[in-house]
């Protein structure tokens, strides 16, 4: 018998779902004068703003809460540290709140891009490299990859700040 965690059970039963019949989703098959099926060309999809909201709300809501859980405790820790250790009140709290909101909103697409763009590279290298190289070579290649990434990042910073590369 498989065990299920209570939190997973509560999550699964709390998700609101609507059942839609397959027949209602599929178009009616039309015949031409020869009795053959006509090719189906679907109508252009038209979404209302409320439909877009309903589609994006679960996806964005989860990512927002993930970033809030990461940034919130850090912000609270720094505010308490400033208040208790430095004996200073938090000034410009509204600007700090706007800044924290901007951090959360900025982290959402950044981390999504990392997950979809760079993480597959790392997973492939991490899975294939140990099978293709002997163990002492693997840390050497990892070191070279790290140096290469650092060099590329430093080189990009130098060119974007206006200094000439040598």
């Amino acid at each position: 018998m498989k065990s299920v965690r209570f939190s997973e059970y509560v999550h699964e039963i709390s998700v609101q779902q609507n059942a839609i019949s397959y027949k209602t989703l599929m178009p009616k098959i039309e015949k031409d004068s020869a009795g053959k099926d006509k090719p189906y060309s679907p109508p252009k999809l038209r979404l209302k703003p409320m439909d877009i909201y309903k589609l994006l709300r679960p996806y964005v809501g989860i990512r927002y809460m993930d970033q809030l859980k990461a940034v919130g405790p850090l912000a609270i820790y720094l505010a308490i540290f400033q208040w208790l250790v430095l004996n200073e009140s938090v000034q410009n709290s509204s600007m700090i709140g706007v800044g924290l909101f901007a951090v959360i909103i900025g982290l959402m697409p950044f981390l999504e891009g990392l997950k979809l763009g760079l993480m597959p590279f790392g997973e492939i290298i991490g899975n294939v490299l140990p099978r293709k190289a002997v163990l002492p070579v693997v840390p050497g290649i990892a070191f070279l990859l790290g140096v290469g990434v650092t060099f590329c990042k430093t080189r990009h910073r130098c060119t974007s700040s206006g200094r000439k590369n040598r």
Side-chain angles (χ1 to χ4, degrees):
M1 182 173 163
K2 182 182 175 188
S3 63
V4 177
R5 291 180 26 200
F6 181 72
S7 61
E8 293 172 347
Y9 170 75
V10 170
H11 174 71
E12 291 298 322
I13 65 168
S14 66
V15 175
Q16 295 177 353
Q17 299 177 2
N18 294 327
I20 300 174
S21 170
Y22 182 74
K23 289 182 179 181
T24 60
L25 294 176
M26 296 308 301
K28 305 292 182 222
I29 298 174
E30 297 179 13
K31 307 271 184 186
D32 61 8
S33 59
K36 294 185 178 183
D37 294 343
K38 285 184 177 178
Y40 176 71
S41 58
K44 185 176 180 180
L45 184 63
R46 299 190 188 274
L47 293 175
K48 298 175 186 169
M50 184 54 82
D51 296 331
I52 295 170
Y53 170 76
K54 286 179 181 179
L55 284 171
L56 292 178
R57 183 175 56 106
Y59 183 79
V60 172
I62 290 170
R63 268 110 191 121
Y64 181 82
M65 289 308 295
D66 288 345
Q67 300 317 313
L68 183 64
K69 289 176 188 174
V71 173
L74 179 62
I76 292 169
Y77 171 75
L78 292 174
I80 290 173
F81 180 84
Q82 182 175 340
W83 183 55
L84 293 177
V85 175
L86 301 178
N87 291 325
E88 293 284 329
S89 63
V90 178
Q91 298 175 358
N92 295 331
S93 59
S94 61
M95 286 303 292
I96 291 172
V98 169
L100 289 172
F101 179 73
V103 166
I104 291 169
I105 297 300
L107 279 173
M108 289 167 53
F110 174 73
L111 291 177
E112 195 68 20
L114 280 178
K115 188 179 357 174
L116 297 175
L118 289 178
M119 293 301 283
F121 285 131
E123 289 176 10
I124 291 169
I125 291 171
N127 288 329
V128 174
L129 183 61
R131 284 187 267 148
K132 298 222 176 198
V134 294
L135 185 59
V137 174
V138 174
I141 292 175
F143 174 76
L144 289 175
L145 286 171
V147 168
V149 168
T150 304
F151 176 72
C152 289
K153 185 173 181 166
T154 305
R155 183 175 173 90
H156 173 69
R157 185 175 39 193
C158 291
T159 57
S160 64
S161 64
R163 291 183 279 168
K164 292 183 179 179
N165 291 329
R166 296 182 186 183

